[in-house]
Amino acid sequence: MTYPLSTPQDPARAAPKERITMTTSTETPGTPGTPGTSNTSPIRHRDGRRVRPTGGRTRVLPVESPAQLCERLPLTYHAAHTVMTARHDAVRVLDGRDDRLLVIVGPCSVHDRAAALDYASRLREAAAALADDLLVVMRVYVEKPRTCLGWPGLVGDPGLDGGADLGRGLAEARSLMLDIAETGLPVGCEWVNPATPAYLSDVVAWGSVGARTASSQVHRDLASGLPMPVGVKNGTDGSVQVAVDAVRAAAAPHTFLGASGAGPVSVLRTSGNPDCHVVLRGGADGPNYGAAHVRRAAELLAGAGLPVRVVVDASHGNSGKQHERQRVVADDLAMRIADGDTTVRGLLLESFLVPGRQDAGAGRQLVFGQSVTDACLGWSGTAQLLRELAGAARARRASCPRRAADPGSAVLGTTPFLERT
């Protein structure tokens, strides 16, 4: 697109008046000439020097619209049932109307389809066995926010080779999520790029806004229209107030520019999302999973007039990024839950088939089922932790008998919920 640009006539140069145009800094494929300018007369200073382009430039590449991808990889009835019932049950757990624990567990990021499906198969069996006490959602994180540089996740670089084939990445991410949901195991992920939910949100049961984006108005707007419960993490500096502010902002309606299902940028008007909640993940000032930290978070939520919903991330700042210390965090929480603590409604755990982490790169032979981002617990340790958390939920139930079921406690069918997506 070109924009007319008025430039003062240089009296030192006798030339007829002409219309000079200049494009934006976006370069489309096939556009001849200098990036950032058109093929008409160049812009010049009064002394005759040519004005050179400044800043960065963007190359625009085609990608199929969300509607096209969703039509090519449609949500099946069984997958939709998994998604909708899990969203429903997660909100009930967060509200305390269901006395189970919500556990979001899985790889820091998924990079290999076969390994992710292997993990999902094991987790589905464990989730079914512990379903009376835990509501298990698998982490299927396909975008990775980076402090500086690094692998951006399956969507951004599916080949782990810097190829940045986002069209392929979106398709692989959606296909993987669909296959996992089809088995009856719900999936959760962090939303990083605000355009991604148009491609994937109908398959996701629980979403997250990360510590780096909790203060972002763009992500607060986005969360306000997502058809799922969304956990907002405290800031990387440890600030819980920023997460509380985000939950409050996301509960309100917003109007903003964003990607529509058909693809073009549209004006989006959201209803506000009443099902957002705070996730304590620690920060630069240390862990914040202790009883005093949880109590303070509850006070901040109550003071803002928000429901007291607190989930704890056992990794990141709470584990000091030492994956085995997730056990320490989870054990401490399990003891408090067993003693009757009802403020903590759920946990996040980073776990994969093989403990630890590895570096990825083009041509590098990778260990099957080991993380290429943050280090994770291995499967055997994860299975043991899940059993411990289930036991804690049972002990809490014994000390705090289950309330009589309210009218919304039954597992509902898919049809009423599809209207919300």
Side-chain angles (χ1 to χ4, degrees):
M1 181 181 295
T2 60
Y3 298 94
L5 177 67
S6 298
T7 55
Q9 183 69 28
D10 187 348
R13 301 183 62 199
K17 291 184 178 181
E18 63 179 0
R19 185 174 183 176
I20 299 177
T21 60
M22 184 171 67
T23 65
T24 65
S25 62
T26 299
E27 178 190 359
T28 50
T31 300
T34 304
T37 62
S38 71
N39 271 345
T40 60
S41 301
I43 306 298
R44 295 185 182 277
H45 281 289
R46 291 182 182 277
D47 60 7
R49 290 180 303 169
R50 184 171 179 172
V51 176
R52 300 295 180 183
T54 59
R57 280 159 293 285
T58 301
R59 187 182 179 198
V60 178
L61 302 173
V63 67
E64 63 185 324
S65 71
Q68 289 171 329
L69 181 60
C70 293
E71 182 177 0
R72 183 160 66 86
L73 297 171
L75 186 68
T76 65
Y77 174 86
H78 289 100
H81 188 274
T82 298
V83 174
M84 302 304 175
T85 53
R87 290 176 181 173
H88 170 81
D89 290 347
V91 172
R92 286 178 45 75
V93 171
L94 291 166
D95 284 343
R97 291 177 289 144
D98 183 327
D99 60 10
R100 293 181 292 172
L101 275 176
L102 173 65
V103 180
I104 299 99
V105 56
C108 172
S109 58
V110 295
H111 66 278
D112 174 59
R113 178 185 179 85
L117 291 175
D118 186 329
Y119 182 93
S121 175
R122 302 183 194 199
L123 185 61
R124 180 177 57 83
E125 292 183 8
L130 303 173
D132 287 344
D133 305 303
L134 304 179
L135 173 59
V136 176
V137 175
M138 178 173 165
R139 285 178 59 114
V140 186
Y141 280 37
V142 294
E143 299 180 281
K144 293 303 297 179
R146 312 311 302 162
T147 299
C148 184
L149 297 173
W151 185 59
L154 184 67
V155 167
D157 186 11
L160 288 89
D161 56 4
D165 187 348
L166 273 75
R168 172 188 161 194
L170 286 166
E172 289 193 8
R174 182 172 177 84
S175 175
L176 176 61
M177 289 180 172
L178 284 169
D179 285 350
I180 293 172
E182 183 74 20
T183 69
L185 182 65
V187 304
C189 72
E190 178 179 345
W191 300 116
V192 179
N193 188 312
T196 306
Y199 291 90
L200 303 177
S201 65
D202 60 329
V203 198
V204 175
W206 180 89
S208 171
V209 171
R212 296 173 183 83
T213 48
S215 59
S216 162
Q217 185 60 49
V218 171
H219 290 80
R220 294 176 178 189
D221 290 347
L222 176 68
S224 73
L226 289 172
M228 67 197 70
V230 176
V232 183
K233 292 189 177 182
N234 62 256
T236 54
D237 62 353
S239 170
V240 177
Q241 185 63 56
V242 71
V244 173
D245 291 344
V247 169
R248 184 179 177 189
H254 293 279
T255 302
F256 56 97
L257 293 174
S260 67
V265 172
S266 304
V267 175
L268 305 181
R269 297 184 185 275
T270 66
S271 62
N273 186 344
D275 299 323
C276 295
H277 51 281
V278 165
V279 177
L280 301 179
R281 50 87 75 194
D285 58 352
N288 61 5
Y289 64 88
H293 295 100
V294 171
R295 184 164 56 251
R296 177 57 179 158
E299 291 170 354
L300 289 174
L301 287 165
L306 297 168
V308 177
R309 307 177 180 124
V310 178
V311 173
V312 174
D313 181 356
S315 188
H316 299 98
N318 279 329
S319 67
K321 290 210 167 184
Q322 299 178 39
H323 62 284
E324 291 294 340
R325 283 195 58 83
Q326 291 184 86
R327 301 173 186 271
V328 176
V329 179
D331 286 345
D332 184 82
L333 291 168
M335 287 176 27
R336 283 153 44 194
I337 290 166
D339 287 341
D341 185 334
T342 59
T343 306
V344 175
R345 304 287 167 81
L347 287 86
L348 272 72
L349 297 167
E350 290 190 327
S351 153
F352 212 173
L353 298 175
V354 177
R357 67 170 304 279
Q358 61 188 323
D359 291 323
R364 188 185 296 269
Q365 185 67 36
L366 296 178
V367 175
F368 183 79
Q370 188 176 57
S371 175
V372 298
T373 47
D374 288 353
C376 296
L377 293 169
W379 173 250
S380 60
T382 301
Q384 179 182 351
L385 269 185
L386 291 175
R387 290 191 293 270
E388 290 177 8
L389 291 170
R394 283 195 300 275
R396 182 173 67 180
R397 183 177 301 129
S399 61
C400 305
R402 187 192 299 265
R403 299 176 186 175
D406 63 44
S409 63
V411 175
L412 303 181
T414 303
T415 304
F417 291 94
L418 285 176
E419 297 174 359
R420 298 181 56 189
T421 61

